[in-house]
Structure formats: C-alpha cells, structure tokens
C-alpha cells in the first residue's frame, strides 16, 4: 500500500542538527512510511546550538513523535531528556528520541545499528579481537557496544590521549581491558596480527578524499573482516582493497540504514524492510555524486 497524504492525524518525526542540509534520513524514513502506508512524516530541522533547549520544548509542545539527533547535539541533548536507555547513558550520546505523552526517552541507534550491521553479515563480535581506528564520537558508540557484547578491543588513534580516554572508560564501565595505541604503521602491524575485525571510524577515505586509506593494503589479510563506517563513497578505497583479499567487507551504508531502521521501529512499533531504506539511501548518494 502506498500513500503520501498528510492528514490531521499525521504523526511527525524528524532530525535536528546543524548543518542539516545533507542528511539522508528524511528520504529513508519517508520512503519507509510510504511503503508501509502509515500516516507519518519526517522532516529536517536546523537547530542552532544555543537554541537546543527551545527545540526540545518545541518537540513537546508540538507533540512531535520522534527525533533523530545529529551533530552538534548528540551529547548536549542528554540533560533535556526524561529517560535514557542504559547503553546511551554509558556512551554519553543520543541519536534518537521517542516522545510518549511528553516523556522524552533517548537511545543510541548508531551503536545498535552498527551491531546489527555486523550480525546481519554473520559476524558475531563476542570473544572476537576488534581493532578500532579512531576515538571520536562514532568510535565511542561502536567500541562501547562491542565491549558490552564481549569483544576484545584495541583502539588506535592519531591523537593517543583520545584513544586512552576511550579505552579507560571501557575498562571502568564494562570491566574489560581495552588497549589504546597511537595510529601508526608499526602499531597497526602489531594490532592486526591477531585481529578478526577491523573497524574504521576515522574520516580518512571520505569524499572528496576518496583515494586515501587509513590502512596500507599490504596489511590487509585474508580472513580479516573490514567494516568502514564511511558511507560516502559506499565503497571506500579501504573496502575496495579488502575485497581483493577475498574477505568480507561491510560498508557504512549498512550502519546508516540499520540505525534508521531501529529508530523507525521505536517510533512506529513497526518493522520496516531494510531494503526499502537501503535503496533510498543509495539513490540519495548517487544524486550527490551527480
Ligand atoms: P566522529 O563523531 O565522526 O567520530 P570526530 O569526533 O571528529 O568525529 O572524530 C574523528 C576521528 O577521525 C578522530 O578519531 C580523528 O583523530 P584525532 O582524534 O586524532 O583527531 C580521526 N581522524 C580524522 N582525520 C584523520 C586523519 N587524517 N588521520 C587519522 N585520523 C583522522
């Protein structure tokens, strides 16, 4: 059933961030609403840092059903929420809000979307050796959910202190040892020796710098699963070079789509076919390229 009529009963969802023009979420969610024929609409709102409190008041006053939260609000939003999912609280960042009669609950579907993308490809991270490149916000969501799931973690970052901070928090919160190393050739060689999965959370290789890679191809070995959370381009140089080893690759597009699917389920209580959102996201990315 396809329907795109807006009515007096239409439930509104959206995304807040700044800048917001390039978000793919409206296309993905509206395609899913249409596919399921449900009376929902998803729009983007540019919200400046200093007006975040007013945006949250507005969400309550206008009875907006759900919001995604993106840069620069993922951490700053937390004090305005009434309830927090335990993992989002540990991560210290929220990308999804559900509004139930003005009670706002925060979740982190970046983390759960990452995990789902791994599981979908048949990779169970429990007990596996995971090498994480980067120690920013995305790395934190990913490394925390992996720690919770029981992975062994090595975090490499250009700025060693940030890797140490991330690893230190993991040890404290999850009582799991996590190693922190500076991101350089020698440390990469050592870390990758015993690695099962490599996750790139840095922006290296992102458009327009599509000829860059965070890992020299000679270090990629057969059997090492590589997950690059960069989704533009869908196939980064790192993933292209990994494919040549005949090993499994996972694109940031999968994480993007799964975080969308999981947010959607929280707002609507309905399952959306993953392929609907994936196709829509690919369309938007192709339009960006043209
Ligand atoms: P996000 O929320 O997407 O994780 P972020 O917090 O800005 O964004 O983090 C970006 C990550 O990419 C950081 O780990 C950053 O390393 P530093 O902490 O040293 O800045 C990493 N990064 C960005 N450009 C990089 C580059 N050219 N080489 C290596 N790492 C890079």
């Amino acid at each position: 059933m396809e329907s795109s009529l807006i009515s007096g009963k239409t439930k509104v969802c959206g995304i807040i961030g700044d800048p917001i023009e390039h978000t793919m979420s409206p296309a993905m969610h509206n395609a899913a609403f249409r596919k399921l024929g449900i009376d929902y609409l998803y729009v983007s709102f540019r919200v400046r840092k200093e007006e975040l409190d007013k945006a949250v008041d507005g969400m309550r006053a206008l009875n907006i059903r759900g919001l995604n939260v993106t840069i620069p609000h993922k951490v700053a939003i937390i004090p305005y929420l009434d309830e927090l999912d335990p993992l989002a609280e540990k991560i210290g960042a929220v990308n999804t809000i559900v509004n139930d009669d003005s009670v706002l609950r925060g979740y982190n579907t970046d983390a759960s979307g990452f995990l789902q993308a791994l599981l979908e490809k048949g990779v169970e991270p429990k007990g596996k050796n995971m090498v994480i490149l980067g120690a920013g916000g995305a790395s934190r969501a990913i490394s925390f959910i992996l720690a919770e799931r029981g992975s062994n973690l090595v975090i490499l970052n250009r700025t060693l202190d940030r890797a140490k901070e991330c690893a230190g928090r993991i040890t404290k919160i999850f009582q799991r040892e996590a190693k922190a190393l500076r991101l350089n050739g020698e440390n990469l060689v050592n870390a990758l020796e015993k690695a099962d999965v490599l996750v790139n959370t840095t922006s290296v290789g992102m458009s327009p710098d599509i000829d860059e890679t965070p890992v020299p191809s000679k270090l990629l070995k057969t059997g090492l699963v590589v997950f690059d959370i960069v989704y533009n381009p869908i196939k980064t140089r790192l993933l292209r070079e990994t494919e040549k080893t005949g090993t499994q690759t996972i694109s940031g597009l999968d994480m993007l789509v799964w975080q969308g699917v999981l947010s959607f389920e929280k707002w609507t209580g309905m399952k959306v076919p993953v392929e609907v959102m994936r196709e829509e996201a690919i369309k938007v990315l192709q339009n960006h390229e043209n």
Side-chain angles (χ1 to χ4, degrees), residues 71 134-139 157-159 162 183 201-204 212:
I71 292 166
S139 167
N157 197 45
R158 182 176 60 179
T159 313
R162 286 185 94 187
L183 179 53
T201 78
T202 75
S203 46
V204 179
E212 290 182 9

Side-chain angles (χ1 to χ4, degrees), residues 15 20-25 28 70-71 74 110 138 200-207 210 227-236 239 250-257 259 281-282 284-286 288-289:
I15 181 165
I20 202 66
E21 291 75 16
H22 292 292
T23 176
M24 319 233 292
S25 295
M28 285 165 37
T70 190
I71 292 166
K74 287 187 187 188
D110 290 329
N200 174 44
T201 78
T202 75
S203 46
V204 179
M206 191 186 287
S207 179
I210 59 168
F227 194 145
D228 193 340
I229 74 159
V230 171
Y231 59 77
N232 188 12
I234 297 172
K235 221 176 251 182
T236 57
L239 294 189
I250 311 175
S251 163
L253 184 75
D254 293 308
M255 177 174 167
L256 174 76
V257 168
Q259 67 75 31
I282 291 171
V284 177
L285 281 171
Q286 284 167 346
H288 282 186
E289 276 166 24

Side-chain angles (χ1 to χ4, degrees), residues 71-90:
I71 292 166
H73 305 310
K74 287 187 187 188
V75 176
I77 192 77
I78 288 181
Y80 301 109
L81 303 177
D82 301 301
E83 293 173 12
L84 266 186
D85 168 72
L87 183 64
E89 186 170 12
K90 285 172 188 153

Side-chain angles (χ1 to χ4, degrees), residues 138-165:
S139 167
R140 192 146 110 178
I142 287 167
S143 52
F144 279 28
I145 200 164
L146 288 175
E148 189 178 67
R149 191 83 178 187
S151 300
N152 308 313
L153 296 170
V154 183
I155 300 167
L156 294 99
N157 197 45
R158 182 176 60 179
T159 313
L160 179 58
D161 278 350
R162 286 185 94 187
K164 280 187 177 163
E165 143 98 34

